[in-house]
Each structure stands twice: as C-alpha cells, then as structure tokens.
Amino acid sequence: MKAVDPAEEFWYNKVLQISGGIHEPGKLRWELVLCLLAVWIICYFCIWKGVKSTGKVVYFTATFPYVILFILLIRGATLDGAKDGIIYYLKPDFNKLLTAQVNPN
C-alpha cells in the first residue's frame, strides 16, 4: 500500500473530489464553478477597460493583503492571553536554547 501525503489526499479527495475514472464524470462543485466564473469576469473587465483600469486593480491587489494582515493583527492582539503569548515570544528561555537537541527522544 502506497503512503499518501495528507495534503495531497485532502486536495484530491475533498477539494477536487476526483472520481474513479472518465466513465464516472462526477458532479459539479458549485463553489469551484462560482470562483472560476468570478475570475473570468474580473479578467474580462480588466481587459475591456485596458491598461488604464489595470493600474487601479494593481493598487487594490497590492494593498488588500496588508489591510487583511493588519485586521488579523488587531484581532489577534485583542484575544484573551495575547499579552502572555507576545511576552513568551519576545523573552525566550535561554536555558532551553542552550540544550538544543536534534531529536529529543
């Protein structure tokens, strides 16, 4: 029996839901169909307006991840125990760093 990577198994069996073969076409995954449709619509409007509007899209796609990261930072900092986690991260236990082992078994 061949070992299967968990990420690969999740991708093929859960996300794509690949069928047994070409004789079993399977059903449409509406989540994937809607995502594909949304991407094609965005590409169409970027090409339709030309280079002028593509620059505006680049501004959005370049700054949007930073906005989301900032929101997640604020959300994480307001959770219970966030202060303890930040202190634990910034003040390491140097005794444990000095006794580092490759395999602690």
Side-chain angles (χ1 to χ4, degrees), residues 3-71:
V4 179
D5 183 34
E8 186 177 335
E9 180 181 357
F10 175 78
W11 176 251
Y12 288 119
N13 295 336
K14 178 72 174 152
V15 175
L16 295 179
Q17 291 183 354
I18 292 183
S19 65
I22 197 166
H23 56 281
E24 295 177 30
K27 56 186 173 185
L28 286 177
R29 297 286 319 268
W30 290 107
E31 302 91 3
L32 296 177
V33 171
L34 292 176
C35 287
L36 183 63
L37 179 66
V39 169
W40 275 106
I41 290 171
I42 290 169
C43 288
Y44 172 76
F45 282 114
C46 287
I47 295 170
W48 179 51
K49 289 286 187 174
V51 177
K52 294 178 189 175
S53 68
T54 305
K56 296 174 188 171
V57 172
V58 169
Y59 284 130
F60 174 76
T61 57
T63 57
F64 184 70
Y66 293 108
V67 171
I68 295 299
L69 283 173
F70 183 72
I71 291 170

